[in-house]
Amino acid sequence: MKHISQVLLKHPQLIPVLVIIAVLALPLAVWRDVMAVTDQSIRKQTTALDKVMTTLRSYYSQNVIANLSSEVQTVASHDYHDIEGAIPIPATLAIELGELINATQSDGGFNVEYRFVSDLPFLSRKPFDLTAGESRALTEFRNGFPEDHMFLKADNSPLDHAISMVTPVIMEDSCVACHNTHPDSPKTDWQTGDIRGLQSFTVRQPIFSNLLTFKYLILYMIAAGTFGILFSRHQLRVASKLKIQGEELTENNEFLAGVSMKISRYLSPQVYKSIFSGERDASISTERKKLTVFFSDIKDFTQTTESLQPEELTALLNSYFTEMSAIAERHGATIDKFIGDAIVAFFGDPDSKGTTEDARACVRMALEMQERLGELAGEWRAKGIEHPFRARIGINTGYCNVGNFGSELRMDYTIIGAEANLAARLEASAEPGGIVMSYETYAHVRDIVTARQLPPMRFKGIAREVVPYVIDPGRNSLPASEVSRDGNRVTVHLERLDEVSRARLQQILDDQA
């Protein structure tokens, strides 16, 4: 069975072929069995008829022909056995012939039984034992039953099936004259057409003999049932194995999901998504793109760490990174790495909204970070931290190499290039709480921030002269609204409006609607 299942799994086109064969085999088996039933029924009927005719011929020979004599006058009598030369009257013939026919039909095959019964027998005869069905039929015939026959369900056993047909015995002229003058007649006012009794023909056949005639259908059902049971057992085993494999697969998926979530902590959301969605391969490859690079670190971090215990420092630094990372994620930044107390991030890969929008998103992020640090400073002081963190931020826009750097066994997704280094140099020139950006960045954000130009500077590793722009501490509040450079779009930051301004704006929008 296992081999058959493997063949069907390997060649599924065989399944409809087997179904067609099974469908065609069923009517063929039924047809063969119907032919067998018909043949058997005909054989049994002819055999029963032969027995009836043989019994009739034998009875006629012994009780009629044998009693005829040329020397004695022939008479018809119900007690013909006691009268020389007498022959049986019709009623006696029917009664005795029925007893002989019934006696020869006891071989367990197709049986025909005959009974002549009456509720008004001669006084010299033993009363007939009428069944309930025969008594009912006799009453209905005498009350004008429209048919000349009636079918009754005979007494059946669990192994036999029998049907009886009863017909009325009607008095004729010769019968009336005899019965009205006979001394043993229970009634002397018979008339032609009266119903004297019944004759019953019962056909009885064992159910088991019919059941065996359906051998082809039985063989078909046995074969189909056996195959079905074996196939079901195999399918149950397969289902059990699949269930176990499914549970193992679920466990593995849960394990991989857990590992995946852990890995995601070491990657920026954009990089994690691009790798696990199949958009990016884990292979050494880079490309040159125009990015906006963000670099920040904490001013006087060493001095702050000296006044804190390692556990306090760890908690404080993790809190700082958590807050800054949440802001970076909201603005769509790709966090490159944490270097000690420094944060390196960039906009433009793997997702980009265009150079201008990337630069504006980076500056908004820097402003929100400085604003949040101002809020955190009060909270940290309330907890006993004398020198809360103050960050310096540098931003630059330019072409960098971005991608996977390293070896086949260990690589990092990062950026390299002079423009990335320039962001770090600009950060080092900023004041605590301040933001310094290059002109390349300022050109894209001049309409959303107020910045002060610094004297041109030269930085190590940078060949050109750089003109920085600085947003001084205390001037880092984000504007409540921004107008796009083409003047076709206005962005309103509801969280930066007071309650009065919000209500007024809502009223204006409702009026326009």
Side-chain angles (χ1 to χ4, degrees), residues 136-249:
R136 185 180 73 255
L138 187 58
T139 301
E140 292 188 15
F141 281 130
R142 286 174 176 167
N143 291 333
F145 189 73
E147 302 290 338
D148 60 354
H149 65 276
M150 184 184 300
F151 287 99
L152 303 176
K153 188 173 183 181
D155 295 334
N156 295 327
S157 70
L159 299 179
D160 288 336
H161 184 66
I163 295 294
S164 296
M165 185 185 76
V166 294
T167 59
V169 177
I170 301 175
M171 297 291 286
E172 298 180 0
D173 293 340
S174 59
C175 297
V176 170
C178 176
H179 280 263
N180 285 341
T181 60
H182 199 286
D184 289 343
S185 176
K187 182 178 177 182
T188 59
D189 58 347
W190 291 100
Q191 296 182 7
T192 302
D194 286 349
I195 297 175
R196 182 193 174 191
L198 298 171
Q199 57 180 1
S200 170
F201 301 90
T202 301
V203 178
R204 188 181 304 275
Q205 188 170 8
I207 295 177
F208 186 71
S209 64
N210 288 333
L211 184 63
L212 292 180
T213 58
F214 291 94
K215 56 185 177 181
Y216 293 105
L217 185 58
I218 292 174
L219 289 175
Y220 176 88
M221 295 176 65
I222 292 175
T226 302
F227 181 83
I229 291 173
L230 294 177
F231 188 77
S232 297
R233 290 183 60 188
H234 176 70
Q235 291 300 103
L236 288 174
R237 288 196 295 268
V238 172
S240 178
K241 292 181 180 179
L242 290 177
K243 181 180 179 182
I244 295 174
Q245 293 175 355
E247 292 175 351
E248 293 177 351
L249 182 61

Side-chain angles (χ1 to χ4, degrees), residues 20 25 122 157 228 268 274 290 315 346-347 395 402 432:
I20 293 174
F122 277 6
S157 70
S268 65
S274 63
K290 193 168 189 179
F346 55 87
F347 289 78
I395 302 174
V402 58

